[in-house]
Structures are given as C-alpha cells and as structure tokens.
C-alpha cells in the first residue's frame, strides 16, 4: 500500500495519547518503506529497533543509550554490529526516505546545509579544524553537509556527505562506505565541493524528483558551480559574496560594458529597478513583510557555458534588502534567470525552514551523536537519524487546532 498524507496537518501536543498513536503509526509505515530494500528479516527488525531507540532515548543517542531505552542492554552489541559492520546498503534506504517524505511534505527544493559536529578526540573519521558557517567561528570536529527535503511546512535530511580533511597518516580506507559500503578512494574536497557533490549525487539518483537545489553556503568558485550544475541539468540557487565578479548581460544595462564587475556594484547600479517582494514574517502585523529585491541577468567572466535551458533563462543575480538605504542582505546566484524574482526568493526562504527544524529537532534525533570511527558506520547512523528527525518534525507541536493523522489508501 502507498501512504497519502495531509501535508499541512500537524499534531497539537507531543505528549497526548493521540500524538503517541500517530507517531507509532507513522514509524511503522515509514519502517515498511525504508527497510524494504533490506534482504533479511532480522536486518529490517534491527533497523526499526534502532529508529525506535533514536526517538525514545534520553540524552545522547549513542548505541548504548539506544539499546538501554529499548529495555534490553544486551542489544548494544547487536545494534553496534548492525550500524558499524553489517552489509546492508544505506543508499536505497535514503532513496526510500526521500520518496516517503515526498508524499508527506511535497518538497519544493533540496536545501544543502552545513552541520558542525564538535569532537574532543582525533580518532573519528573526518575530524579536523573547520569553520562553522552559522556561528562564524572555528571548531574542532567533523564537518558534514546535509541535503534536506524542504517545503514551507517541514524539512528533513535525505542525504549526507562528510568532509574528509587531508593529513599525514590519514587512513586510506576512510572512504569505505562512500558508495553504500563499496570501497572507493575519496578525493580531498573543499567544503564547497563536498556540498555540491552531496546535492548532485542525490539529485542523480533514480526516482529522485528534479527539484531546485538551494546551496545555503557562500560560493567561492561560481564558475565551477555553474559548470557542474549545468552539466547535470539541475537548477540551483547559491549564495555569493559581494566581491564575486560577473558580467552584465542585459541589453538595458549595456553602459556597463563587457568587463566583469563585483556583485555589489552591479546591484547598486540597478536600485531603481527594485521591486517590493512579500515574505512570511510572524512578527509582522499581517504575517507578511515586504522588502526590496531585484534580479539582474549576468554571465561568467571566464566565459564558461551555462548549458542554458530556454525555459530557465540563463544566469541571474538576485539581491534582497532589509532596508532600502543599506547594502543588500541576501545575494544569490541562480541558473533559473527566467523564473520570477518572487518565486526565487520563496525558494531561498526554505533555507530558513531547514535552519529552524534543525535547531528544534536535530539534536533530539541524534544527528550529531554517532561515536564510532568508520565512515560506513557514520553513514548508516546518519541515514536512520535522518528518518528519526523526519518523525520528530512531523509530530512536533506547531498548530494547536490540527492533528497529523495519515490517510492510507
């Protein structure tokens, strides 16, 4: 059977019996979908056990705490083997999660977001010195990028990729698990390359809908970004810095010549073309706040082909201002130049949705709690923690007058 869910309904109280029943119903329904690719019944059972433990454990979602909350501490060794050493493929489980979420929340985009995982030691895979984009500071630990299925109502991760820093003595087999358990060499990547690869490898999966990708991180190499997304035929919105260089491609702005200009200068020169675009704001009296925004067609200084789709309209810069007399607060590059400015900005708002859901439920579902050392084990844990996060979000208290009851057909 295939589940059909009311995308806007959410539970009224997390602790009410009705919500507990909803969560149990959803957990079983999700488990039937997620673990269908696992060949053995005992693996499917362990997968559901681990998912249930992530949802009910107290404190850190370590394997020990997950086993203890299930009422059988002897499960620790069994679950440890299932996560760290078993042969099940985690990539089909992620595909199934994305499919399940597609029915539940009707996603509008894949949002790519950094997740910082502080670590005190140095033995876990991928540990090193990294920069936290959202706290604007350095930290010691793992740097991961998640691909989130996002709508206006909810968001949950469906794919992950870990930045593996280069260093002396780094084990060659750290990449084991990068292809669902098959050994392969994992090239050293910059955070930007890691985020792009995470998005494109998921967008290329069989059955994944072709949705826009929103890269919620500043892009330092727009040319490489456009080349990779253009070759894959994937629409993208990515943050850019004010100093990034582009050529102006609109005939009405021919006075700027053909040379590259910084983003800040391009947008400052078209202030007269700004339009007020509405955005959701709970603090506004009407629930909607209007801000000035503008879109400008641009090109790349290096002349990289854009793989232009006539329906998309090539490259464009999108700027948004909090206050008209100040510098723009949002700067985005997109290969969807033909899409209306208001639609593009609606897609960028999904990054805020992801940020809120991650802040509210990420730690509760165990996204940062894996304590093993292998990359394969990390991927297996993250796959099931992502499913737990989805259930946390969908059964969270949001609207007091509505419930989230599934309709099965």
């Amino acid at each position: 059977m295939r589940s059909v869910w009311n995308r806007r309904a959410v539970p009224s109280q997390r602790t009410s019996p009705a919500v507990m029943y909803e969560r149990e119903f959803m957990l079983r329904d999700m488990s039937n979908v997620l673990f269908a690719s696992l060949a053995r019944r005992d693996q499917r059972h362990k997968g559901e056990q681990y998912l249930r433990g992530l949802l009910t454990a107290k404190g850190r979602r370590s394997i020990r705490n997950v086993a203890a909350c299930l009422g059988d501490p002897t499960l620790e060794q069994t679950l440890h083997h299932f996560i760290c050493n078993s042969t099940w493929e985690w990539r089909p489980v992620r595909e199934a999660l994305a499919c399940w979420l597609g029915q539940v929340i009707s996603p509008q985009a894949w949002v790519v977001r950094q997740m910082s995982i502080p670590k005190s030691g140095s033995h876990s895979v991928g540990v090193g010195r990294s920069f936290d984009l959202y706290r604007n500071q350095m930290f010691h630990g793992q740097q991961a990028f998640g691909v989130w299925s996002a709508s206006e109502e909810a968001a949950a991760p469906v794919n992950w990729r870990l930045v593996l820093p280069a260093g002396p003595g780094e084990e060659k087999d750290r990449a084991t698990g990068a292809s669902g358990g098959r050994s392969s060499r994992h090239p050293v990547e910059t955070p930007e390359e890691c985020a792009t690869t995470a998005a494109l490898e998921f967008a290329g999966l069989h059955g994944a809908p072709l949705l826009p990708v929103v890269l919620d991180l500043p892009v330092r190499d727009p040319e490489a970004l456009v080349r990779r997304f253009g070759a894959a035929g994937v629409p993208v919105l990515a943050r850019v810095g004010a100093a990034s260089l582009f050529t102006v491609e609109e005939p009405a702005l021919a006075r700027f010549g053909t040379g590259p200009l910084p983003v800040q200068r391009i947008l400052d020169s078209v202030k007269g073309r700004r339009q007020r675009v509405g955005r959701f704001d709970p603090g506004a009296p009407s629930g909607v706040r209007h801000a000035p925004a503008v879109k400008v067609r641009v090109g790349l200084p290096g002349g990289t082909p854009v793989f232009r789709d006539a329906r998309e309209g090539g490259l464009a810069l999108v700027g948004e201002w909090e206050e008209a007399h100040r510098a723009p607060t949002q700067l985005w590059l997109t290969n969807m130049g033909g899409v209306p400015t208001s639609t593009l900005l609606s897609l960028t708002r999904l990054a805020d949705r992801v940020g809120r859901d991650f802040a509210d439920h990420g730690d509760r579902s165990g996204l940062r709690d894996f304590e093993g050392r292998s990359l394969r084990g990390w991927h297996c844990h993250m796959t099931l923690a992502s499913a737990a996060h989805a259930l946390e979000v969908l059964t969270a208290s949001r609207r007091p007058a509505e419930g989230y009851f599934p309709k099965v057909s």
Side-chain angles (χ1 to χ4, degrees):
M1 293 188 300
R2 211 170 57 161
S3 300
V4 180
W5 306 74
N6 178 352
R7 62 177 290 202
R8 293 185 177 274
V10 288
S12 57
Q13 298 178 18
R14 176 183 298 278
T15 55
S16 69
V19 169
M20 296 303 293
Y21 171 77
E22 288 175 298
R23 173 174 288 193
E24 179 63 23
F25 190 103
M26 294 172 68
L27 188 151
R28 293 183 182 182
D29 183 74
M30 175 189 276
S31 296
N32 289 336
V33 174
L34 256 58
F35 307 124
S37 63
L38 275 59
R40 301 201 327 247
R41 179 185 297 178
D42 66 306
Q43 290 181 329
R44 296 193 293 272
H45 178 63
K46 290 171 188 173
E48 183 173 340
Q49 279 185 311
Y50 195 79
L51 179 57
R52 189 181 299 277
L54 289 172
L55 290 165
T56 55
K58 303 298 182 183
R60 290 182 62 82
R61 267 59 174 179
S62 64
I63 295 178
R64 174 175 295 180
N65 286 345
V66 166
C69 82
L70 294 173
D72 185 0
T74 63
L75 281 174
E76 181 180 353
Q77 184 174 356
T78 301
L79 292 179
H80 183 275
H81 176 79
F82 175 72
I83 294 296
C84 298
N85 304 113
S86 186
T87 58
W88 62 279
E89 299 272 353
W90 45 262
R91 193 176 299 277
V93 178
R94 292 185 184 178
E95 289 187 64
L97 174 61
C99 180
W100 188 85
L101 281 169
Q103 296 183 37
V104 176
I105 67 173
S106 299
Q108 297 159 267
W110 308 119
V111 177
V112 183
R113 178 186 171 90
Q114 181 200 54
M115 182 176 71
S116 301
I117 311 171
K119 295 282 186 180
S120 57
S122 59
H123 297 293
S124 296
V125 62
V127 167
R129 292 282 293 170
S130 302
F131 184 75
D132 189 314
L133 296 172
Y134 303 102
R135 296 185 179 181
N136 197 32
Q137 64 184 26
M138 298 296 296
F139 73 99
H140 178 81
Q142 297 165 317
Q143 181 180 190
F145 286 94
V147 181
W148 295 64
S149 177
S151 70
E152 294 177 359
E153 289 82 15
V158 291
N159 194 39
W160 291 94
R161 192 171 180 88
L162 191 65
V163 177
L164 300 180
E170 183 179 15
E171 296 114 313
K172 297 298 183 181
D173 61 351
R174 277 187 173 182
T176 301
S179 301
R182 295 180 296 275
S183 179
S184 63
R185 293 299 178 93
H186 196 303
V188 176
E189 295 177 312
T190 66
E192 186 175 320
E193 290 170 338
C194 182
T196 299
T197 300
L200 291 179
E201 72 177 7
F202 187 80
L205 290 178
H206 176 71
L210 182 60
L211 297 176
V213 170
V214 178
L215 278 178
D216 189 22
L217 66 151
V219 173
R220 299 179 182 274
D221 189 352
E223 187 169 344
L225 175 90
V226 169
R227 183 173 61 250
R228 293 189 65 184
F229 277 90
V234 175
V236 65
L237 269 159
R239 295 186 185 274
V240 291
S244 298
L245 299 176
F246 297 93
T247 59
V248 179
E249 297 294 322
E250 296 196 24
L253 302 175
R255 66 184 184 278
F256 291 105
T258 59
L261 297 171
V263 169
Q264 186 70 57
R265 183 177 173 187
I266 293 174
L267 295 182
D268 284 345
S269 65
V270 293
K271 287 182 177 180
R273 300 177 57 185
R274 292 184 299 189
Q275 56 182 302
R276 298 187 66 80
V277 178
R279 64 177 295 181
F280 173 72
D281 183 357
S286 64
V288 178
R289 181 170 58 84
H290 291 81
V294 71
K295 181 180 67 176
V296 183
R297 304 288 179 86
V298 296
L300 295 168
T304 296
V306 180
F307 298 89
R308 180 171 304 187
D309 184 324
R311 296 171 300 173
E312 305 298 348
L315 292 182
L317 288 174
V318 180
E320 183 180 17
W321 286 257
E322 292 288 341
E323 298 180 28
H325 61 282
R326 295 184 179 271
T329 52
Q330 301 278 349
L331 300 172
W332 298 86
L333 173 69
T334 182
N335 57 5
M336 299 181 286
V339 175
T341 306
S342 58
T343 302
L344 294 173
L345 290 177
S346 294
L347 291 173
T348 68
R349 309 283 186 256
L350 297 176
D352 298 330
R353 170 83 270 168
V354 170
R356 289 194 298 271
D357 282 356
F358 175 69
D360 292 343
H361 308 288
D363 290 334
R364 185 180 295 133
S365 56
L367 289 176
R368 290 196 268 215
D369 287 347
F370 181 65
E371 297 178 348
R373 298 185 180 183
S374 74
L375 183 58
R376 174 181 173 74
W378 182 84
H379 273 295
C380 291
H381 169 84
M382 293 301 292
T383 300
L384 300 186
S386 297
H389 184 281
L391 290 175
E392 284 281 359
V393 169
L394 293 172
T395 55
S397 176
R398 293 185 193 275
R399 299 177 188 172
E402 298 181 356
Y404 194 109
F405 287 94
K407 300 177 182 179
V408 179
S409 63

